[in-house]
């Protein structure tokens, strides 16, 4: 491990670049195991930089140098210094042309960063620091250059040659070769560079922008996947229209291309004009993709498209500003999905995810602010905090300014900073300036990590007819931040009367937003005629932990009547959580389990007897809180008791309402339903009914599952039935898994589901099964989707067996982190996150996890990616 590999980079050390690159010309002579790159860079000293250093230092990794020339003069080895990660050229003039020629080997690039091979195609991934694995460069986001790219390759192996921008020219060469050139007129940082070469089929379409510009749309996939591209194309068109309507943002090139690749470290990448996507977020047919897959595809296509403005036209000054583009773009894609589907459902899903996973991250050793102060490996900071909490912070700004004020601020931001690399402060400043407001205190959300805790108490004064809420805020200690300043927390609130009606709160409004700024603060409402039921933190208006002890009767009152769809759901979840935790306590104390409150059964019954209009929302309303979410609420996770309690409550609800679950299942089970919003909503509710019925594990319900599996005409129903059979110990389930494999063995994305289901099975021998799956001919450690479907699913979605008391789950994951690190450090580091939350476990398990973390830490060689995660995890 060399020093450079462990170096911590600090935000406070940021300095402007000494040199800029106005123009970048690249020539690629492509071949899978020997690609030659020639670059020609127009370099100038940066007038904004005070230093006048005689050295130009470029970044480069795993490159073989062929030649360097300045202004046409070839350099000799005395004129430059070559290190593992840098190339330093001395005696540089103020302005010059630098030409470099180097060689790379895409096939050996299993890290999937830079230029690599996926199946038989060549593609790139440059964010964050992959461009330096293609050629030496000023590989930092504040160096923005215009790019001209020419690719030369075998015409049979690589008939399609793509790069950023607009197609410029093409031609044929001797020896079966051809070439294509591309020009991107928009200056961009190197992380947005992309190239694709392959034998690809293409779905084409077009889009006319709001100012009547004609844009070609192209989705590239392997030939056999062409029939699964319609939904991606439609999603793209929906996103383009929505961004014009909601944010006034128009597309700016002649063509927008999406390429689906099988080997990809994450979901997708927003390269200018040429998005590269994981196949998982492009390919969909009803037969092979679930309703959730369809929704995710539209969201990710939207997300990458929205980056064209929030990320590409206006980019980040440095990687500490990552949430500038990611938090904002997630906020934009969330608004888009809410608009396309259901506001209520989208908000609940987002908050569920945030509270289950981001809150956990923020409460553990890897906690960091949405604008971090330091990092070792930037790829470790593409986190739920940067993305999801970052989006919540933007959402609070939206709440505080209102939709029109927020839009005015965004317009100013885009206009002011178009073509620039900027900071989160610049973003907030634009919102402040456009609205003549001051967000100084609000900016603590960018600097301080941790989930703020807000305690609420209430008091009704019958004589004065006033209702007073007292809020107290504090934020737990996080690594490197012992004390915190108060946050500005927008708290949206409403009050319900006894009949469940909203009480007007001045100005005739029934929902008001209170701004909590102090550590303790009171708010009083006048003219309240009787003691109300408060609905606090409507729409989850801030990413906080709200503590408010409400009697169960009042919770159920909210569950029945709250007009805020989020808080209505929340009230039900609170009731159910309390019931499950009471059951956990009873199990731990070997007492009889508490029975279900009648009021809860009646509330469920009335919904089941008279279904709501939005069945997708209804499905969420009647779902139990997930075990993962509940585990996070426990001070010390008792996983076995939690599983038992969760199952017991589900079984009791199942038994209490069993005829209604069955009649609703039958009413909404429609084998040949399509994929309209109504069909999707019915399916989610119907499959929830099946889930409750299956809690009895009776023969009749098993028959329902197998019948649903056999008759299924879409993946949602097929996988829902199979996942019900997944946990049963009886040998009955095996033939269904075999049949599923036989049916889908040529569809990689479906086989990923097959692997993932088995990896999260609750069956007693699940770990042995998972180990066997690693020997399956379809398992491949070099394919991130496969690794995630088996190993990551076991680590993240099978808490029962991952946390086995003998430590076998932890040891298995550690073995695989070590094996994977040699192949793909980014994916290995992601997996290592699963070992970071040991503080939540009992002391025996804590020791077992720490042993594994130390074992990983002592490996040599070890990537800085994994080393950073295990070191921070152990430092807690
Ligand atoms: N910007 C990319 C993520 C790149 C991750 C690099 N390790 C995708 C996205 O957020 O849109
Ligand atoms: Zn993004």
């Amino acid at each position: 491990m060399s020093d450079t590999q462990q170096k911590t980079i600090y935000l406070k050390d940021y300095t402007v670049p000494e040199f800029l690159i106005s123009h970048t010309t690249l020539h690629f002579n492509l071949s899978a195991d020997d690609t030659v790159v020639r670059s020609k860079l127009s370099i100038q000293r940066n007038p904004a930089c005070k230093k006048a250093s005689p050295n130009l230092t470029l970044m480069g990794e795993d490159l073989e140098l062929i030649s360097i020339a300045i202004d046409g003069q070839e350099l000799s080895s005395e004129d430059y210094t070559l290190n593992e990660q840098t190339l330093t050229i001395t005696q540089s003039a103020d302005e010059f042309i630098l030409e470099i020629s180097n060689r790379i080997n895409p096939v050996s690039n299993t890290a999937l960063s830079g230029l690599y091979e996926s199946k038989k195609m060549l593609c790139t991934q440059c964010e964050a620091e992959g461009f330096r694995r293609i050629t030496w460069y000023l590989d930092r986001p504040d160096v923005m250059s215009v790019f001209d790219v020419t690719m030369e390759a075998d015409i049979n192996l690589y008939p399609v040659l793509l790069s950023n921008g607009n197609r410029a020219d093409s031609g044929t060469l001797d020896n079966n070769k051809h070439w294509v050139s591309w020009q991107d007129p928009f200056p961009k940082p190197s992380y947005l560079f992309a190239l694709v070469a392959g034998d690809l089929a293409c779905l084409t379409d077009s889009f006319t922008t709001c100012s009547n510009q004609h844009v070609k749309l192209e989705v590239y996939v392997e030939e056999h996947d062409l029939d699964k591209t319609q939904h991606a194309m439609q999603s793209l068109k929906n996103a383009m229209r929505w961004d014009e309507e909601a944010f006034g943002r128009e597309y700016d090139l002649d063509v927008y291309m999406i390429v689906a690749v099988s080997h990809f470290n994450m979901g997708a990448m927003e390269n200018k004009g040429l998005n590269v996507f994981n196949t998982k977020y492009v390919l969909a047919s009803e037969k092979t993709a679930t309703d959730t897959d369809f929704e995710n595809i539209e969201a990710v296509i939207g997300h990458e498209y929205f980056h064209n403005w929030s990320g590409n036209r206006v980019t980040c000054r440095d990687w500490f500003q990552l949430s500038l583009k990611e938090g904002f773009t997630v906020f934009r894609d969330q608004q888009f999905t809410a608009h396309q589907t259901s506001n209520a459902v989208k908000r609940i899903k987002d908050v569920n995810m945030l509270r289950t996973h981001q809150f956990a991250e923020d409460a553990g050793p890897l906690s960091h602010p949405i604008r971090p102060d330091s990092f070792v490996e930037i790829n470790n900071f593409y986190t739920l905090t940067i993305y999801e909490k970052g989006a919540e912070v933007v959402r609070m700004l939206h709440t505080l300014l209102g939709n029109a004020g927020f839009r005015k601020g965004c317009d100013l931001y885009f206009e002011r900073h178009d073509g620039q690399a900027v900071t989160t402060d610049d973003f907030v400043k634009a919102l402040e300036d456009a609205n003549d407001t001051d967000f100084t205190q609000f900016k603590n959300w960018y600097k301080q990590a941790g989930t703020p805790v807000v305690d609420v108490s209430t008091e009704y004064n019958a004589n004065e007819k006033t209702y007073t809420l007292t809020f107290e805020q504090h934020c737990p200690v996080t690594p490197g931040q012992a004390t915190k300043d108060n946050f500005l927390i927008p708290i949206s609130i409403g009050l319900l009367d006894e009949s469940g009606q909203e009480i007007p709160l001045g100005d005739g409004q029934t929902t008001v937003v209170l701004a909590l700024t102090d550590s303790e603060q009171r708010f009083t409402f006048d003219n309240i005629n009787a003691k109300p039921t408060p609905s606090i933190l409507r729409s989850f208006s801030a990413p906080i932990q709200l503590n408010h002890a409400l009697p169960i009767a009042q919770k159920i009152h909210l569950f029945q009547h709250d007009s805020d769809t989020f808080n209505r759901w929340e009230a039900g979840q609170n009731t159910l959580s309390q019931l499950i935790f009471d059951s956990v306590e009873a199990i731990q104390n070997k007492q009889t389990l508490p029975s279900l409150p009648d009021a809860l059964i009646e509330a469920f019954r009335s919904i089941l007897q008279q279904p709501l209009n939005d069945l997708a929302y209804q499905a969420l309303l009647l779902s139990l809180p997930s075990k993962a979410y509940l585990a996070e609420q426990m001070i010390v996770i008792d996983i076995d008791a939690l599983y038992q309690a969760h199952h017991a409550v589900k079984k009791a609800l199942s038994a209490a309402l069993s005829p209604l679950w069955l009649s609703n299942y039958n009413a909404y089970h429609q084998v040949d339903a399509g994929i309209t919003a109504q069909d999707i909503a019915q399916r989610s509710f119907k499959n929830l009914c099946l889930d409750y019925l299956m809690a009895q594990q009776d023969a009749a319900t098993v028959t329902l599952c197998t019948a649903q599996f056999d008759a299924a005409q879409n993946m949602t129903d097929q996988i829902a039935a199979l996942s019900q059979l997944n946990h049963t110990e009886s040998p009955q389930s095996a033939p269904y898994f075999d049949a599923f494999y036989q049916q889908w063995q040529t569809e990689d994305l479906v086989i990923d589901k097959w692997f993932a289901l088995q990896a999260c099975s609750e069956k007693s021998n699940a770990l042995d099964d998972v180990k066997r799956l690693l020997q399956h001919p379809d398992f491949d450690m070099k394919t991130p989707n496969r690794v995630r479907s088996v190993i990551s699913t076991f680590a993240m979605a099978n808490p029962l067996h991952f946390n086995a008391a003998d430590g076998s789950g932890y040891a298995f994951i550690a073995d695989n982190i070590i094996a994977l690190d040699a192949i793909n450090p980014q994916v290995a580091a992601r997996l290592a996150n699963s070992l970071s939350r040991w503080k939540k476990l009992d002391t025996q398990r804590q020791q077992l996890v720490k042993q594994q973390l130390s074992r990983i830490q002592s490996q040599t060689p070890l990537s800085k990616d994994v080393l950073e995660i295990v070191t921070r995890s152990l430092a807690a």
Side-chain angles (χ1 to χ4, degrees):
M1 179 71 43
S2 67
D3 279 354
T4 43
Q5 277 181 294
Q6 290 176 56
K7 209 172 131 214
T8 303
I9 322 277
Y10 295 93
L11 169 58
K12 63 177 166 47
D13 294 342
Y14 173 83
T15 54
V16 298
E18 292 175 38
F19 293 90
L20 301 175
I21 306 175
S22 58
H23 203 112
T24 300
T25 307
L26 298 172
H27 182 281
F28 289 86
N29 196 340
L30 292 164
S31 113
D33 59 359
D34 182 6
T35 286
V36 174
V37 187
R38 293 201 316 262
S39 74
K40 185 172 175 187
L41 312 177
S42 308
I43 301 188
Q44 308 79 37
R45 275 184 190 281
N46 182 1
C49 177
K50 303 283 172 285
K51 272 198 266 171
S53 137
N55 292 333
L56 165 70
T57 299
L58 303 172
M59 299 81 149
E61 260 172 41
D62 283 346
L63 307 171
E64 183 189 327
L65 182 62
I66 300 173
S67 66
I68 317 180
I70 287 190
D71 292 330
Q73 290 286 106
E74 182 119 355
L75 301 192
S76 72
S77 54
E78 295 96 71
D79 303 324
Y80 59 84
T81 316
L82 194 55
N83 279 327
E84 234 176 85
Q85 303 191 345
T86 56
L87 169 66
T88 303
I89 300 164
T90 44
Q91 294 162 339
S92 341
D94 284 352
E95 199 170 335
F96 54 96
I97 304 285
L98 175 65
E99 287 171 275
I100 299 178
S101 175
N102 65 275
R103 180 168 265 125
I104 47 180
N105 182 350
V107 174
S108 66
N109 182 358
T110 57
L112 313 185
S113 159
L115 177 66
Y116 64 92
E117 191 186 47
S118 170
K119 301 255 181 99
K120 285 287 151 223
M121 82 174 90
L122 297 175
C123 64
T124 54
Q125 171 54 36
C126 292
E127 187 178 0
E129 299 180 333
F131 192 80
R132 64 190 63 185
R133 293 161 59 85
I134 295 174
T135 187
W136 281 278
Y137 202 76
L138 291 174
D139 190 15
R140 46 185 288 171
D142 55 356
V143 173
M144 299 172 83
S145 176
V146 168
F147 280 68
D148 286 337
V149 178
T150 303
M151 284 164 281
E152 187 181 317
D154 185 291
I155 197 162
N156 297 319
L157 293 174
Y158 307 109
V160 174
L161 298 174
L162 310 174
S163 191
N164 316 88
N166 299 317
R167 279 182 184 83
D169 207 353
S170 61
T172 50
L173 299 162
D174 293 341
N175 303 332
N176 256 335
K177 289 189 126 189
H178 71 142
W179 63 273
V180 180
S181 65
W182 291 81
Q183 285 176 343
D184 182 0
F186 294 95
K188 65 168 176 289
S190 49
Y191 84 84
L192 289 173
F193 166 80
L195 156 177
V196 170
D199 185 2
L200 300 170
C202 179
L203 176 72
T204 55
D205 206 329
S206 66
F207 181 84
T208 305
T209 71
C210 52
S211 74
N212 233 3
Q213 303 299 311
H214 196 69
V215 181
K216 277 184 285 190
L217 308 179
E218 302 177 344
V219 177
Y220 290 89
V221 296
E222 287 178 49
E223 177 79 48
H224 62 97
D225 287 327
L226 198 57
D227 59 343
K228 300 188 212 78
T229 50
Q230 288 294 345
H231 177 66
M233 183 63 87
Q234 188 57 49
S235 301
L236 176 60
K237 291 195 279 184
N238 295 345
M240 294 177 87
R241 190 60 74 212
W242 183 84
D243 211 18
E244 291 183 344
E245 284 164 6
F247 278 87
R249 299 293 113 203
E250 187 180 356
Y251 189 60
D252 50 15
L253 289 165
D254 301 344
V255 58
Y256 192 92
M257 296 169 283
I258 292 176
V259 183
V261 307
S262 299
H263 296 74
F264 209 62
N265 282 348
M266 64 272 171
M269 178 64 210
E270 70 263 25
N271 317 299
K272 182 80 188 186
L274 176 57
N275 288 185
V276 177
F277 268 64
N278 188 325
T279 45
K280 182 175 161 65
Y281 295 109
V282 176
L283 304 178
S285 73
E286 277 171 68
K287 297 258 183 274
T288 59
T290 61
D291 297 335
T292 306
D293 293 328
F294 273 84
E295 185 179 320
N296 290 341
I297 288 169
E298 183 163 62
V300 178
I301 296 233
H303 180 97
E304 305 312 330
Y305 175 73
F306 304 142
H307 268 315
N308 189 53
W309 275 95
S310 50
N312 301 2
R313 290 287 286 257
V314 183
T315 194
C316 300
R317 185 193 73 174
D318 53 72
W319 291 121
F320 298 100
Q321 317 299 328
L322 186 56
S323 202
L324 172 78
K325 74 176 178 81
E326 295 306 346
F328 187 21
T329 305
V330 172
F331 171 77
R332 277 152 56 68
D333 83 53
Q334 289 175 347
Q335 301 284 98
F336 170 58
T337 303
H339 174 265
Q340 298 296 110
T341 59
S342 146
N343 229 322
V345 169
K346 178 63 177 158
R347 188 64 190 141
I348 291 167
K349 287 184 183 171
D350 288 340
V351 174
N352 229 343
M353 210 269 256
L354 181 89
R355 290 200 298 206
T356 306
H357 302 294
Q358 193 279 328
F359 278 22
E361 179 172 277
D362 227 350
L366 303 178
S367 169
H368 53 276
I370 66 168
R371 191 193 59 204
D373 303 312
S374 68
F375 61 77
V376 173
E377 169 51 62
I378 185 56
N379 285 318
N380 286 334
F381 282 81
Y382 287 77
T383 58
L384 291 161
T385 298
I386 300 291
Y387 277 69
E388 311 304 323
K389 185 177 182 182
E392 291 298 317
V393 169
V394 174
R395 192 173 192 280
M396 286 190 284
L397 289 165
H398 180 270
T399 301
L400 291 165
L401 294 173
N403 196 49
F406 182 78
R407 171 67 195 272
K408 245 194 326 178
C410 292
D411 287 350
L412 179 62
Y413 168 72
F414 289 127
E415 184 197 316
R416 191 184 265 178
H417 297 297
D418 190 9
Q420 296 177 3
V422 302
T423 64
T424 55
D425 283 341
D426 293 320
F427 176 71
V428 176
K429 181 85 170 61
L431 298 191
E432 288 178 323
D433 290 354
N435 291 279
D436 199 13
T437 184
D438 179 1
F439 281 133
T440 307
Q441 185 186 8
F442 185 84
K443 287 204 281 187
N444 289 337
W445 284 106
Y446 285 89
K447 298 191 275 226
Q448 298 184 156
T451 303
V453 179
V454 174
D455 298 315
V456 193
S457 57
T458 58
E459 198 188 327
Y460 179 65
N461 185 324
N463 294 332
E464 302 193 350
K465 300 205 179 309
T466 57
Y467 188 66
T468 302
L469 296 112
T470 306
F471 295 89
E472 284 177 59
Q473 63 162 302
H474 73 274
C475 184
V477 173
T478 50
Q481 294 185 336
T483 59
K484 317 266 168 128
D485 292 328
N486 286 325
F487 290 88
L488 164 58
I489 304 176
I491 298 189
S492 173
I493 185 167
L495 302 177
L496 268 63
D497 69 16
E498 270 169 22
S499 66
Q501 296 295 306
E502 297 277 338
I503 300 174
L505 305 171
D507 290 349
Q509 285 173 319
T510 52
T511 299
V512 294
V513 178
L514 308 174
L516 175 62
T517 53
D518 300 341
S519 46
E520 185 181 332
Q521 214 168 327
R522 267 162 216 278
F523 298 89
T524 298
F525 294 98
D526 300 321
N527 304 319
I528 307 295
N529 293 326
K531 189 176 173 189
T533 300
S535 169
I536 307 173
L537 206 67
R538 287 189 150 176
S539 302
F540 200 67
S541 59
I544 59 167
Q545 157 90 49
L546 182 80
N547 293 332
H548 178 218
L550 205 60
I552 206 144
Q554 279 190 288
K555 282 185 195 166
I556 291 174
H557 189 61
L558 291 172
F559 180 65
Q560 288 167 317
H561 303 292
D562 201 330
S563 67
D564 183 79
T565 48
F566 178 83
N567 266 8
R568 181 176 182 189
W569 169 80
E570 177 80 332
Q573 297 291 295
N574 280 337
T575 312
L576 293 162
S577 300
Q578 190 181 327
L579 201 59
I580 294 170
F581 287 134
D582 290 348
S583 306
V584 166
E585 217 182 297
I587 290 164
Q588 287 168 335
N589 299 328
K590 304 199 173 17
Q591 293 162 343
T592 36
L593 299 188
S595 54
L596 298 179
D598 288 341
L600 179 70
I601 298 175
E602 289 321 308
F604 265 57
R605 188 192 309 280
S606 90
I607 295 173
L608 288 171
Q609 280 172 341
Q610 224 175 16
L612 308 176
N613 280 335
D614 185 347
L615 284 176
Y617 175 64
Q618 172 165 311
L620 295 173
L621 211 53
L622 300 181
S623 294
L624 291 186
S626 74
K627 284 169 259 190
Y629 171 71
L630 294 165
E632 271 317 304
Q633 316 296 304
M634 300 171 91
I635 296 168
V636 176
I637 300 174
D638 180 345
I639 202 74
D640 299 303
L642 178 60
Y643 265 70
Q644 274 184 57
H646 195 273
H647 187 69
V649 170
K650 190 190 276 183
K651 200 171 174 182
L653 275 166
S654 168
L657 298 160
S658 119
L660 280 168
W661 295 120
L662 185 60
S663 59
N664 275 284
Y665 176 83
N666 288 327
Y668 293 110
H669 179 49
Q670 199 189 324
V671 171
D672 56 356
I675 48 166
T676 65
Q678 185 63 21
D679 295 326
I680 293 170
Q682 285 195 13
R683 250 192 308 275
S684 66
F685 175 57
K686 177 271 304 261
N687 282 322
L688 178 79
C689 296
L690 184 63
D691 187 52
Y692 273 107
L693 288 167
M694 204 42 191
Q696 306 299 333
Q697 292 279 334
D698 58 320
T701 314
V702 172
T703 306
L704 277 188
C705 288
T706 55
Q708 176 169 321
F709 181 93
D710 291 335
Q713 292 185 24
N714 61 67
M715 186 49 65
T716 308
D717 275 352
Q718 200 178 8
I719 211 89
L722 193 61
S723 54
Q724 293 298 343
L725 300 171
N726 191 28
H727 307 300
T728 62
E729 298 283 349
S730 94
Q732 204 174 2
S733 70
Y736 289 90
F737 275 87
D738 291 346
F740 189 85
Y741 180 81
Q742 291 306 325
Q743 186 181 354
W744 296 116
Q745 52 186 316
T746 60
E747 295 286 344
D748 289 345
L749 295 170
V750 183
I751 293 303
D752 284 336
K753 296 181 196 299
W754 179 81
F755 275 107
L757 264 190
Q758 297 172 77
C760 65
S761 172
E762 291 172 20
K763 280 191 291 199
S764 51
N765 61 347
L767 180 57
D768 293 336
D769 283 348
V770 169
K771 287 181 177 167
R772 247 192 311 278
L773 288 176
L774 297 192
Q775 307 305 320
H776 192 282
D778 289 348
F779 183 80
D780 173 19
M781 206 63 155
K782 290 190 181 139
T783 307
N785 283 357
R786 218 23 71 88
V787 169
R788 284 186 283 256
S789 69
V790 187
I791 306 173
S792 309
T793 301
F794 179 78
M796 321 275 189
N798 197 340
L800 194 63
H801 293 294
F802 174 63
N803 293 298
D806 62 359
S808 54
Y810 309 137
F812 168 74
I813 290 303
D815 287 346
N816 281 290
I817 291 168
I818 293 165
L820 198 53
D821 191 49
I823 296 168
N824 188 328
Q826 277 185 47
V827 177
R830 237 337 110 124
L831 183 59
N833 276 275
S834 64
L835 296 171
S836 68
R837 300 298 323 280
W838 52 268
K839 278 248 160 112
K840 296 281 286 184
L841 304 170
D842 56 67
T843 49
Q844 222 164 343
R845 286 182 171 91
Q846 288 193 5
Q847 290 311 321
L848 292 167
V849 179
K850 282 198 283 183
Q851 275 166 20
Q852 298 302 333
L853 283 167
S854 304
R855 179 161 76 90
I856 299 168
Q857 196 182 32
S858 67
Q859 301 290 315
T860 43
L862 190 67
S863 69
K864 64 173 174 172
D865 309 56
V866 171
L867 184 62
E868 181 182 27
I869 299 294
V870 296
T871 305
R872 283 162 61 203
S873 297
L874 279 167

